[in-house]
Every structure is written in structure tokens, then in C-alpha cells.
Amino acid sequence: MREKEKGNALFSKNNFELALASYRAGLDAVHKDVSPAGAAVRLALYLNCAAALLKLERPHEASQAATDALVLDARNPKALLRR
């Protein structure tokens, strides 16, 4: 959660590259957490990665991050939009 919050602060300051790095660090930290809470954090981090990647004009990577989010929640509207 700390990396997600850090990334969100960076994103709000338009520092998308560092925000993306924080989101990815958060994903690394929770990748083995199979609990529902861990899945919720991973979903949010994938969605945030997709948003940052879109801001960085990297649509193919954004699509992959959104697809990873859809694996966790197949009907997530943000994931569908970002993909």
C-alpha cells in the first residue's frame, strides 16, 4: 500500500515515470499474496500502471497492464476502458 500511495502522489504531480516505478514496486511486493486483500491491491496497482503508461504514451504496455487487471476482475470498467 505504501508504494501505491507514493505512486499516487507522484501521479498527481504528473511524474508518471516515477509513479509507474512505484506501482511496479508495489506489485513486486504483493505478487505472492493470494488473499482477497492482496488481489484488491494488485488490481488497483495494475489499473494505476495502465493509467501511468497511457500518460506516457505507451499504449501497448498499458493494454497489457489492463489485461492483467481483467484477469483479477473481468468486468472492471476502468480496466476495460484503459485496455
Side-chain angles (χ1 to χ4, degrees), residues 17 20 24 50 52-63:
E17 198 68 53
L20 178 61
R24 287 181 171 165
L53 287 161
L54 286 171
K55 291 288 189 177
L56 292 167
E57 299 181 7
R58 292 160 57 183
H60 296 294
E61 291 175 76
S63 177

Side-chain angles (χ1 to χ4, degrees), residues 1-3 5 9 15 17 21 24 26 35-36 38-39 44 46 52 67 81:
M1 284 302 289
R2 183 176 32 166
E3 289 295 337
E5 292 169 7
N15 196 335
E17 198 68 53
R24 287 181 171 165
S35 72
Y46 282 129
T67 298
L81 177 67

